[in-house]
Amino acid sequence: MFRLLTRQLGASSIPSSARLRLHFRTMATSSTPEFNKPLYAPLSQLDPEVQNIIDKETWRQFTGLELIASENLTSIATMEANGSILTNKYSEGLPGARYYGGNEYIDELEILCRKRALQAFNLDPAKWGVNVQPYAGTTANFAALTALLQPQDRLMGLGLADGGHLSHGYYTAKKNMTASSIYFQSMPYSITPDSNLIDYNTLASQAKIFRPKLIICGASAYPRDWDYATLKKIAEKEGAWLMADIAHTSGLVAAGTLSSPFNYCDVVTTTTHKTLRGPRAGLVFFRKDLENAKDLEKRVNDAVFPACQGGPHNNTIAAIATALLQVAQPSFREYAKQVIANARTLADTLVSHGYKLQTGGTDNHLVLWDLRPLGLTGSKVEKVCDLMGITINKNAVSGDASAQVPGGIRIGTSAITSRDMLEADVKIVAEFLHRAVQLSLLLQKEAGTKMLKDFVRVATVAEEGKTGFAMVRELREEVRAFAMKWPLPGVDVTTLSKPAGIEE
């Protein structure tokens, strides 16, 4: 359905350069060999099966509410850059030092993207550099670890159940789960049991004993800001590098609505698709004003390529550059403020219903909802919300024994803010969530067990004497009617219709 925005227009309505671009994309010539004609066929003609899947996903996003904290909606300009002819070019290496020829414009692009990355975060290019090639946030993180550490060096990151990330050294009693714990020794630090805030005092005590070479700050499910100054003191005392992973909050940091780690950290990593509202990729920032700055820059660049990945995705780098141009505009600052205002409204509305949120509220774009006092798991509420057309994710809360059967859900406001929703609208969304939880309690009672499969059965199959199934359908209709009032960036929603293959 995105193709509706790029359908062939009348020649008089578009400039000649655009006409050439559209003609080039959709038309073969009379002399085109038969074996090359598929190169010019539009997706809907060449592969209607994939086109239908894209259409169904477009419909899902339009008719539902996206509340996963790690997702957002990017701009049509970013999507256009990401789907550009730049996907054709191989460019291993860095600008001016490629392993392939023909990279003069790719060099220009990557240099521009670096410049915009520094501008977006208001960084002095004499003090900071950036590598814009990582494919994703986890790739950026492992490249940073590769640059800063030797195998089996020690690191500390926030524990997963306390809001940390898999790539910060996560392991279980039976298994090292990710590369960050397989190749390095890690010790998690934690939040306090009473306030659920980062326990900086215990972290300092643990670091004194563990003597890490790297301390990672940053999280995937922590609703509050970070005390980077205290973390810097701890790292300096133990002779450790300090790295911030701001994947979730980078857009809010760039907008100045959260504290900046760049005043204290040696390396900063981020994804580009969350609050930064760009394509799916990652960035690694590194200090250039340290004693060993040249060495650090080389280590980071060598870690990204060739140590951790191959040639960069130039189309994605173009999309990052386009997104960062938007981040530097005053309008993005207003967007970031609204994301936080919406998250606080969501938190306040849920608390008004008597629900327990980790830390009692939020400073950023997300809330972490503890469902354990209700006797529910995050898995069940996630399933009910899916059936209603509300996309959330189950998430561990402090004290959970298993990340596979977590006691909470994580909710973010970035995407609904990108669909123009303000505080009054978020209160309606919060009421939908309240009703979803109350419905989950009813479905659990009607199931007669706490097994997820029995819970799903009563939610999806009409059974005599049970009302849960009908209530799910009723709520789904209400959510759909509400969601369809809002625009969807990159899509002409006035022309959308339900594609074939959607199962209610």
Side-chain angles (χ1 to χ4, degrees), residues 16-332:
S16 59
S17 60
R19 288 201 303 273
L20 175 63
R21 184 167 64 249
L22 290 170
H23 179 79
F24 173 75
R25 287 179 178 174
T26 59
M27 299 292 290
T29 68
S30 58
S31 60
T32 300
E34 194 67 32
F35 60 77
N36 274 341
K37 286 184 178 178
L39 295 175
Y40 301 90
L43 180 63
S44 58
Q45 176 184 320
L46 180 72
D47 193 345
E49 188 174 6
V50 166
Q51 181 66 67
N52 176 250
I53 292 171
I54 293 173
D55 290 348
K56 288 187 291 187
E57 173 60 17
T58 305
W59 184 255
R60 185 194 70 82
Q61 291 186 27
F62 175 52
T63 61
L65 300 174
E66 185 56 72
L67 295 176
I68 291 179
S70 54
E71 294 187 10
N72 205 342
L73 308 176
T74 196
S75 66
I76 184 171
T78 300
M79 284 190 271
E80 185 176 359
N82 209 24
S84 69
I85 200 169
L86 296 173
T87 194
N88 292 346
K89 189 71 191 95
Y90 225 137
S91 54
E92 289 179 350
L94 295 168
R98 304 288 187 180
Y99 289 79
Y100 295 87
N103 274 295
E104 57 269 28
Y105 302 120
I106 300 303
D107 284 1
E108 182 180 349
L109 171 67
E110 189 166 333
I111 290 168
L112 175 65
C113 189
R114 290 179 187 173
K115 178 183 176 182
R116 289 183 177 176
L118 298 178
Q119 289 174 336
F121 290 91
N122 197 29
L123 300 176
D124 183 347
K127 295 181 178 180
W128 282 93
V130 60
N131 189 299
V132 300
Q133 295 187 7
Y135 301 152
T138 297
T139 309
N141 282 346
F142 195 70
L145 299 188
T146 302
L148 298 174
L149 304 177
Q150 293 296 313
Q152 297 309 310
D153 275 351
R154 297 177 177 184
L155 65 89
M156 295 181 71
L158 182 63
L160 189 69
D162 288 341
H165 192 262
L166 288 165
S167 62
H168 298 175
Y170 177 61
Y171 61 92
T172 69
K174 295 182 178 180
K175 186 177 181 181
N176 293 335
M177 300 297 292
T178 65
S180 56
S181 62
I182 292 172
Y183 297 108
F184 308 104
Q185 298 181 56
S186 62
M187 172 184 281
Y189 57 91
S190 63
I191 57 179
T192 60
D194 51 351
S195 68
N196 293 144
L197 300 176
I198 301 295
D199 190 344
Y200 294 102
N201 290 332
T202 301
L203 168 56
S205 299
Q206 290 176 324
K208 187 175 182 180
I209 296 170
F210 189 61
R211 300 300 300 274
K213 193 169 181 180
L214 171 68
I215 295 175
I216 303 175
C217 48
S220 62
Y222 184 64
R224 300 297 180 178
D225 208 348
W226 289 75
D227 184 352
Y228 296 111
T230 294
L231 287 159
K232 181 63 173 177
K233 290 177 183 176
I234 296 170
E236 285 184 333
K237 189 173 182 180
E238 305 308 329
W241 296 100
L242 183 62
M243 168 182 146
D245 174 0
I246 58 171
H248 266 268
T249 58
S250 55
L252 309 180
V253 170
T257 53
L258 288 180
S259 302
S260 174
F262 292 98
N263 299 323
Y264 303 99
C265 294
D266 304 299
V267 170
V268 177
T269 65
T270 183
T271 55
T272 54
H273 57 274
K274 296 171 186 167
T275 53
L276 211 56
R277 206 155 65 168
R280 298 186 62 84
L283 304 171
V284 182
F285 295 86
F286 48 86
R287 293 197 75 96
K288 295 175 67 176
D289 59 350
L290 302 174
E291 272 187 39
N292 58 345
K294 285 293 183 185
D295 178 53
L296 178 58
E297 179 174 3
K298 185 175 187 333
R299 285 161 64 181
V300 168
N301 287 333
D302 287 350
V304 174
F305 171 82
C308 291
Q309 64 181 52
H313 297 168
N314 300 306
N315 54 312
T316 304
I317 290 174
I320 295 169
T322 299
L324 291 171
L325 177 67
Q326 297 167 54
V327 171
Q329 306 306 312
S331 59
F332 188 85

Side-chain angles (χ1 to χ4, degrees), residues 196 346-348 350-351 355-361 367-370:
N196 293 144
L346 179 64
D348 291 345
L350 294 177
V351 168
Y355 296 122
K356 180 183 178 183
L357 304 182
Q358 195 147 295
T359 78
V367 298
L368 190 56
W369 189 350
D370 188 349

